Amino acid sequence: IRRCKFCAIGTKRIEGSNYRELKNWPDLPVLIDNNLLAASRSHFDKVIDRLVRHGWADFNQGLDCRLLSDYHAKRLSEIKRPIIRLALDHMDLRHEWQEAFEKLREAGIAKRNISSYCLVGFNTGPCESWQRCEWVESHGIKAYPMWYHSLSQLERNIVTTKQKRLGWNNEKRKEIMGYYYKHRGQRPVF
């Protein structure tokens, strides 16, 4: 629904121009949905009702913190072991992210079941990206930086000319990804 310039899902080339609610889908506990919180309440309830039966669910996409309501948080907490990932694509969304995090916690969802994706390399340099990941982790949860690749990019994990203008190089890309995914290296001092 957002048509974010960095998101492959929001482009008409990938899924067409309209957000759709499926009438049926495989009844599995790993949910890969491009924006479940944009769905109608009745559809959201139908999805959660199915997931409750499994006893756990992995919300593999980053939930849009701008759309997460108290109602969503309450329903998500009905799943015994929800694995929830928020998304913090830039620091301008910090307030909305904080509110979503607090709603999940107030609904009884444990910190160990919440993490957050952090988009890096799209329109932010290394300093802001590290600060955003650190801000997420200051809440006692895991940050997962997501390196930006354009849809037309033929190779993965490269630093483009635009990213170089933002201050990135391959060493800095490896540094942030290695630190958060492989627990290697140290945080740089900015």
Side-chain angles (χ1 to χ4, degrees):
I1 63 165
R2 302 254 182 236
R3 306 279 189 250
C4 300
K5 292 180 181 175
F6 57 80
C7 184
I9 301 300
T11 66
K12 292 180 180 182
R13 290 183 358 200
I14 301 296
E15 292 190 359
S17 60
N18 296 320
Y19 181 83
R20 298 179 310 277
E21 295 177 354
L22 301 176
K23 292 188 187 316
N24 203 357
W25 60 92
D27 190 11
L28 300 169
V30 177
L31 189 70
I32 303 171
D33 184 288
N34 66 26
N35 201 337
L36 178 63
L37 301 182
S40 66
R41 184 176 277 199
S42 63
H43 184 73
F44 178 79
D45 286 339
K46 185 176 174 182
V47 171
I48 298 301
D49 291 343
R50 281 189 177 189
L51 294 171
V52 165
R53 295 185 299 222
H54 291 284
W56 71 280
D58 181 348
F59 293 87
N60 209 264
Q61 80 290 357
L63 294 178
D64 188 338
C65 58
R66 295 165 286 189
L67 298 176
L68 193 127
S69 68
D70 290 325
Y71 181 79
H72 292 126
K74 177 186 169 297
R75 288 299 327 264
L76 290 165
S77 74
E78 293 173 24
I79 302 166
K80 283 185 184 177
R81 289 185 334 268
I83 301 167
I84 296 172
R85 294 168 184 85
L86 294 172
L88 185 59
D89 298 323
H90 50 82
M91 286 303 267
D92 292 347
L93 294 175
R94 184 177 40 213
H95 178 73
E96 292 87 346
W97 187 98
Q98 180 73 40
E99 286 182 354
F101 177 74
E102 289 171 4
K103 287 174 185 176
L104 293 170
R105 295 290 294 130
E106 288 168 9
I109 297 173
K111 283 183 182 180
R112 70 179 174 273
N113 294 341
I114 305 169
S115 61
S116 186
Y117 291 130
C118 296
L119 177 67
V120 298
F122 174 68
N123 60 359
T124 58
C127 182
E128 194 273 2
S129 298
W130 276 94
Q131 289 171 347
R132 192 160 20 101
C133 290
E134 290 298 299
W135 186 80
V136 165
E137 291 210 338
S138 75
H139 291 79
I141 69 170
K142 186 76 179 128
Y144 292 106
M146 304 297 289
W147 184 253
Y148 172 72
H149 297 90
S150 73
L151 284 177
S152 61
Q153 197 166 311
L154 299 177
E155 296 177 66
R156 64 186 195 108
N157 297 330
I158 63 166
V159 180
T160 65
T161 302
K162 180 181 176 188
Q163 290 165 327
K164 287 176 184 174
R165 285 194 301 266
L166 293 169
W168 290 101
N169 59 36
N170 200 41
E171 182 180 308
K172 289 178 182 179
R173 181 193 65 78
K174 285 182 177 179
E175 190 175 58
I176 195 167
M177 302 307 281
Y179 181 81
Y180 286 101
Y181 284 97
K182 297 178 183 178
H183 309 290
R184 285 192 276 189
Q186 298 179 25
R187 294 177 177 101
V189 178
F190 292 101

